[in-house]
Amino acid sequence: MKHSSRFIAMLFVCFTINFFFSSCNNSEKFAKPGQLLIGPINIRGYDTSDSSLTLKDDKKNDASWVKVSKNQVINWNVTDHAGALIAIDTIAVDTSYSGDPNFFSTAPHRLGPLKWQAQIKNSSPAKIILEKYYIKWTLKSTGKTYIFDPLLQLNP
């Protein structure tokens, strides 16, 4: 009887560990950090419960944390569907968490109601730089403002 209790306890521990690791490995829940940005960052949707925006590149990969290259021009495009529902007020470096004050050679600026652009500096860093920036956006139906803070990664 004593051995069967231990066996059941061991099975329970194994089941718990397996369940924990399989739920942590769900690729739909967690973005792959630092994927190479392919094309522009397309703003396709939003979630007011956590202030997030749905950012995708041209291959439909999550673009909330992407690798960029020196001198790369970054474009943010709000899709027609999202543009009918939200307005982008600002895209800027989060100065409270700046990996490099000169990360952008040209700061993010508006090109039109649904387009923004910036350019990464022209020099390679000595180490990996994670640059946290923020997108301040407004839900048109309520006028309420939200802030989302994605990341850009520049490798040496």
Side-chain angles (χ1 to χ4, degrees), residues 66-99:
V66 291
K67 289 180 192 173
V68 295
S69 304
K70 69 178 186 171
N71 209 34
Q72 182 175 353
V73 173
I74 307 295
N75 289 296
W76 291 267
N77 299 327
V78 182
T79 63
D80 291 337
H81 172 72
L85 304 172
I86 66 170
I88 303 300
D89 303 317
T90 307
I91 298 177
V93 170
D94 183 348
T95 56
S96 67
Y97 177 88
S98 182

Side-chain angles (χ1 to χ4, degrees), residues 2-130:
K2 190 175 183 181
H3 291 290
S4 62
S5 309
R6 285 185 183 168
F7 180 71
I8 292 171
M10 292 283 286
L11 282 176
F12 178 75
V13 168
C14 290
F15 173 77
T16 305
I17 290 171
N18 183 44
F19 178 78
F20 174 76
F21 283 117
S22 65
S23 67
C24 286
N25 196 19
N26 187 344
S27 61
E28 291 180 20
K29 268 189 184 176
F30 300 103
K32 294 177 187 174
Q35 285 187 187
L36 183 63
L37 177 61
I38 308 295
I41 296 173
N42 299 302
I43 302 171
R44 301 171 53 95
Y46 65 91
D47 185 346
T48 57
S49 68
D50 63 0
S51 300
S52 68
L53 293 170
T54 304
L55 307 180
K56 300 286 185 178
D57 69 6
D58 276 353
K59 298 241 181 202
K60 296 192 172 50
N61 293 320
D62 182 14
S64 59
W65 179 349
V66 291
K67 289 180 192 173
V68 295
S69 304
K70 69 178 186 171
N71 209 34
Q72 182 175 353
V73 173
I74 307 295
N75 289 296
W76 291 267
N77 299 327
V78 182
T79 63
D80 291 337
H81 172 72
L85 304 172
I86 66 170
I88 303 300
D89 303 317
T90 307
I91 298 177
V93 170
D94 183 348
T95 56
S96 67
Y97 177 88
S98 182
D100 180 353
N102 301 313
F103 188 81
F104 291 110
S105 60
T106 304
H109 57 281
R110 185 185 302 270
L111 293 178
L114 302 176
K115 296 188 182 296
W116 287 74
Q117 188 177 77
Q119 187 166 7
I120 306 301
K121 70 180 185 173
N122 193 24
S123 59
S124 294
K127 60 181 182 172
I128 293 174
I129 298 173
L130 291 179

